[in-house]
Amino acid sequence: MSQENSNNRVFVTGHTRGIGKAVCDLFTAKGYQCEGVSTSTGFDIVEDCDRIVDMMKDFDYIVLNAYKDNSQKNMLKKIIKRYQDKNKKVAVITSTSGTPIGEDPDHDTPTYKKYCQDKKNLMAYIEAIQQDLFSHPMNIYDVCPDTVKTDMSDGLWEDWPKLSAEDVAECVWLCFTSNFNVNRMVVQKHGA
């Protein structure tokens, strides 16, 4: 492990599958220490929110990947309240489904509609809070992928080109390691 990375720690919600696992794998391969929580490790992102945010105290980098209702927005609010004066970088995995052009009108289930609304609300909150944090050491990154090939998207949008979870992890890497703040990074896969 290089001296530069010896103290860097990454905390990921939803770290055992899909995008969260890809983030952990990438950062671990680059010499970072990764830890996280997920339902498969006994954590409920909503019920255990305060405890999870407490666990983030000693981490330089945080990735809010796991989604359940408004969990990402609620957790982000608590992170900002507790740690805004700490030098932390927080990447929030949103979705193009939270944008007017990215919402799929053919996918008209109540669950999907709620997902889209939750992501819209989250993205609006991130945009507003990024301006408020301008004079603080904390940085918030909105990593907004289009369709990602994961277990959760299996059978959906089969005609669309899909990003890999590793593609999204690379975007998180870029946000965390660049010398500039990325307000929103929209990531789409080119058609074949």
Side-chain angles (χ1 to χ4, degrees):
M1 184 179 330
S2 73
Q3 182 65 29
E4 178 184 342
N5 295 342
S6 63
N7 295 319
N8 291 340
R9 303 177 73 207
V10 182
F11 190 94
V12 181
T13 63
H15 74 299
T16 56
R17 325 182 292 171
I19 294 169
K21 182 178 182 324
V23 168
C24 285
D25 290 348
L26 175 66
F27 278 82
T28 298
K30 294 188 179 282
Y32 287 70
Q33 178 186 350
C34 291
E35 294 181 33
V37 295
S38 67
T39 54
S40 63
T41 60
F43 287 88
D44 182 294
I45 207 75
V46 174
E47 297 298 320
D48 299 322
C49 183
D50 286 319
R51 188 170 78 151
I52 294 167
V53 172
D54 287 342
M55 294 169 68
M56 297 171 178
K57 182 178 84 167
D58 296 324
F59 288 84
D60 303 313
Y61 304 101
I62 299 166
V63 181
L64 298 183
N65 169 60
Y67 164 80
K68 181 179 178 184
D69 299 325
N70 288 311
S71 62
Q72 288 175 300
K73 182 178 174 187
N74 293 337
M75 188 170 285
L76 183 58
K77 284 181 175 183
K78 290 177 186 232
I79 290 167
I80 291 166
K81 183 176 180 180
R82 292 185 200 177
Y83 305 123
Q84 68 181 318
D85 292 318
K86 305 291 183 195
N87 191 18
K88 291 187 182 294
K89 295 184 176 189
V90 182
V92 185
I93 309 301
T94 61
S95 170
T96 57
S97 291
T99 66
I101 199 162
E103 188 173 345
D104 182 357
D106 295 332
H107 196 64
D108 194 24
T109 67
T111 302
Y112 179 69
K113 285 184 173 189
K114 178 158 181 11
Y115 173 81
C116 293
Q117 189 59 54
D118 289 344
K119 292 295 184 170
K120 284 177 193 173
N121 293 340
L122 173 63
M123 293 165 77
Y125 176 72
I126 293 169
E127 186 175 344
I129 202 66
Q130 285 172 326
Q131 300 308 311
D132 292 343
L133 290 173
F134 189 75
S135 62
H136 295 269
M138 176 181 277
N139 288 306
I140 308 290
Y141 306 90
D142 178 351
V143 178
C144 183
D146 200 11
T147 308
V148 181
K149 184 171 180 48
T150 65
D151 294 343
M152 295 176 75
S153 68
D154 217 16
L156 300 172
W157 304 291
E158 292 300 322
D159 294 336
W160 292 91
K162 292 184 180 174
L163 296 160
S164 69
E166 292 77 15
D167 293 332
V168 181
E170 287 285 339
C171 293
V172 172
W173 172 259
L174 177 64
C175 289
F176 284 170
T177 60
S178 67
N179 291 327
F180 47 87
N181 193 14
V182 178
N183 287 344
R184 175 175 296 144
M185 178 183 289
V186 178
V187 188
Q188 295 176 305
K189 181 137 182 130
H190 292 293

